[in-house]
Amino acid sequence: MTSTAVHLPSPRVPRVRAAAGRLQDNPVDGRKRVLLAAPRGYCAGVDRAVVAVEKALERYGAPVYVRKQIVHNIHVVTELEDKGAIFVEEVDEVPEGAHVVFSAHGVSPAVVNAASDRGLHAIDATCPLVTKVHREAVRFARDDFEILLIGHEGHEEVEGTAGEAPEHVTIVNSPAEADTVQVKDPSKVVWLSQTTLSVDETMETVNRLRTRFPELHNPPSDDICYATQNRQVAIKKVAAAADLVIVVGSSNSSNSVRLVEVALEHGAKAAYRVDYAEEVKQEWLDGVATVGVTSGASVPEVLVREVLDALDGAGYHDVEEVRTAEEDLMFSLPKELRQDAAGQRDARALGGRVSGAAV
């Protein structure tokens, strides 16, 4: 099994809405239906990050700068740009003294220091589950462990985690690299991982590493986030019964790309990723009775609903939700945003997942 690392930002292309009725209701063998995976869409960390930018704009006024994409979804980024957010690659592009938000994927200490040197008012929207991995890296480096960080080199989350202890971290991009990575002391090696990987592929990498380094230490708790795991479990169940799976999510969203791979590995005859409903092609539906639908953890529910509406126009009226877990986790907003301008606790101080609700 192989995966393609995701490095590049989604292209900024204008959305061209397709006319209603674009997809045809062609006959197929069997009853047309949609299996809608749940959980899907926004996780608590994404919701927190998006609300953080919205609250910063309300509190401080536009523009508010954001280092990298706040989350990996082109629709979310475009909407926030329309509200006054300005996305930059590095903090040296931000005017001195301005407000800058660090994305949900986290940043290295070097980025934090660079922002401080420019006198920026930094708001850290890093997902708390990513912060947990950062703290693990710091602790293991302090104890002089070599850290094998399983993840995609160039991904913002991996860059941030590795930056906590660069002299101790070696990135392992794939199971194949586990067979060749070298360490100085096999008795003092620990593995950590990017939070948005395929669970199955990560464990394959870990098993290969453990074959070579039997004393390999585990992180104190699972690094792959609950939302990534839950969405993969749900699509596995859907894929086994689906002729086609459609994953809503952007091309630079690691967890969305993984959902396509997981669907194919677990029985889907075909699987495609789309940003928008307009990208669903008529030929994908030829001969298809059962369509599975899900979305990555940075995707607002409105985009899923648009796909369902498009499928409804093609005769897929019956929608059955396949739920494999309940999610009620919520994270507090960054401390700078928990109070309003008058110093009162803001009603939105506690973020939470707002999509993936029942049909």
Side-chain angles (χ1 to χ4, degrees), residues 43-53 66-71 100-109 111-112 122-136 155-162 164 195-196 225 329-338 351:
C43 63
V46 164
D47 186 56
R48 174 182 185 266
V50 174
V51 171
V53 178
V66 184
R67 182 186 179 272
K68 309 290 188 179
Q69 293 187 357
I70 186 67
V71 297
V100 62
V101 180
F102 297 146
S103 81
H105 306 102
V107 297
S108 69
V111 173
V112 175
I123 300 168
D124 188 0
T126 302
C127 173
L129 300 180
V130 174
T131 299
K132 176 184 76 73
V133 182
H134 281 223
R135 290 172 177 165
E136 291 170 355
H155 190 283
E156 291 149 45
E157 182 185 330
V158 171
E159 290 179 345
T161 302
E164 294 285 0
T195 63
T196 56
C225 86
L329 182 64
M330 294 185 290
F331 295 132
S332 294
L333 290 178
K335 61 182 183 299
E336 299 88 351
L337 303 173
R338 293 174 198 165

Side-chain angles (χ1 to χ4, degrees), residues 313-332:
Y316 298 88
H317 309 308
D318 295 334
V319 179
E320 175 187 344
E321 187 170 69
V322 179
R323 180 169 290 277
T324 55
E326 298 290 340
E327 293 180 352
D328 58 6
L329 182 64
M330 294 185 290
F331 295 132
S332 294

Side-chain angles (χ1 to χ4, degrees), residues 131-149:
T131 299
K132 176 184 76 73
V133 182
H134 281 223
R135 290 172 177 165
E136 291 170 355
V138 170
R139 179 167 72 83
F140 283 111
R142 185 176 60 239
D143 293 338
D144 203 30
F145 275 80
E146 285 187 73
I147 300 167
L148 300 180
L149 178 58

Side-chain angles (χ1 to χ4, degrees), residues 11 14 59 68-69 106 120 159 197 234 236 264 276 290 350:
R59 181 77 177 273
K68 309 290 188 179
Q69 293 187 357
L120 303 181
E159 290 179 345
L197 299 180
K236 287 177 184 179
L264 291 170
Y276 298 110
T290 300
L350 192 63

Side-chain angles (χ1 to χ4, degrees), residues 269-299:
K269 297 179 177 64
Y272 300 96
R273 180 203 55 78
V274 300
D275 272 296
Y276 298 110
E278 300 89 281
E279 298 169 23
V280 177
K281 297 182 179 180
Q282 181 68 50
E283 56 263 33
W284 296 353
L285 303 175
D286 291 345
V288 168
T290 300
V291 181
V293 175
T294 191
S295 58
S298 54
V299 177

Side-chain angles (χ1 to χ4, degrees), residues 8-75:
L8 299 177
S10 292
R12 295 291 213 283
V13 293
R15 180 180 182 182
V16 179
R17 292 186 180 273
R22 180 179 61 88
L23 299 177
Q24 301 173 9
D25 184 0
N26 295 331
V28 299
D29 292 334
R31 176 174 62 93
K32 285 186 173 183
R33 62 174 180 161
V34 174
L35 298 180
L36 181 61
R40 64 184 177 277
Y42 267 16
C43 63
V46 164
D47 186 56
R48 174 182 185 266
V50 174
V51 171
V53 178
E54 294 173 342
K55 289 301 302 176
L57 286 165
E58 292 171 13
R59 181 77 177 273
Y60 307 115
V64 166
Y65 293 83
V66 184
R67 182 186 179 272
K68 309 290 188 179
Q69 293 187 357
I70 186 67
V71 297
H72 285 161
N73 184 265
I74 190 170
H75 178 81

Side-chain angles (χ1 to χ4, degrees), residues 101-324:
V101 180
F102 297 146
S103 81
H105 306 102
V107 297
S108 69
V111 173
V112 175
N113 293 336
S116 177
D117 290 344
R118 290 185 63 76
L120 303 181
H121 301 282
I123 300 168
D124 188 0
T126 302
C127 173
L129 300 180
V130 174
T131 299
K132 176 184 76 73
V133 182
H134 281 223
R135 290 172 177 165
E136 291 170 355
V138 170
R139 179 167 72 83
F140 283 111
R142 185 176 60 239
D143 293 338
D144 203 30
F145 275 80
E146 285 187 73
I147 300 167
L148 300 180
L149 178 58
I150 302 171
H152 298 308
E153 191 164 8
H155 190 283
E156 291 149 45
E157 182 185 330
V158 171
E159 290 179 345
T161 302
E164 294 285 0
E167 67 282 3
H168 289 266
V169 172
T170 299
I171 298 170
V172 182
N173 280 279
S174 65
E177 287 194 9
D179 296 335
T180 59
V181 65
Q182 299 297 317
V183 301
K184 291 178 291 187
D185 183 356
S187 68
K188 294 207 70 175
V189 181
V190 63
W191 70 271
L192 302 177
S193 80
Q194 182 181 331
T195 63
T196 56
L197 299 180
S198 159
V199 177
D200 295 336
E201 183 175 354
T202 299
M203 294 318 299
E204 179 183 350
T205 302
V206 171
N207 291 336
R208 290 198 191 188
L209 288 171
R210 198 174 302 284
T211 297
R212 297 186 61 215
F213 313 120
E215 297 180 65
L216 179 70
H217 290 248
N218 296 320
S221 61
D222 196 346
D223 283 348
I224 296 178
C225 86
Y226 77 96
T228 296
Q229 295 187 56
N230 286 348
R231 282 147 190 72
Q232 290 177 15
V233 169
I235 201 57
K236 287 177 184 179
K237 188 170 183 179
V238 166
D243 303 307
L244 165 70
V245 166
I246 297 173
V247 176
V248 186
S250 290
S251 60
N252 63 335
S253 166
S254 182
N255 74 88
S256 297
V257 173
R258 299 288 85 73
L259 286 171
V260 174
E261 296 174 351
V262 170
L264 291 170
E265 291 162 4
H266 287 83
K269 297 179 177 64
Y272 300 96
R273 180 203 55 78
V274 300
D275 272 296
Y276 298 110
E278 300 89 281
E279 298 169 23
V280 177
K281 297 182 179 180
Q282 181 68 50
E283 56 263 33
W284 296 353
L285 303 175
D286 291 345
V288 168
T290 300
V291 181
V293 175
T294 191
S295 58
S298 54
V299 177
E301 182 70 0
V302 63
L303 300 183
V304 176
R305 297 293 155 177
E306 290 178 0
V307 169
L308 295 179
D309 288 345
L311 291 173
D312 183 74
Y316 298 88
H317 309 308
D318 295 334
V319 179
E320 175 187 344
E321 187 170 69
V322 179
R323 180 169 290 277
T324 55

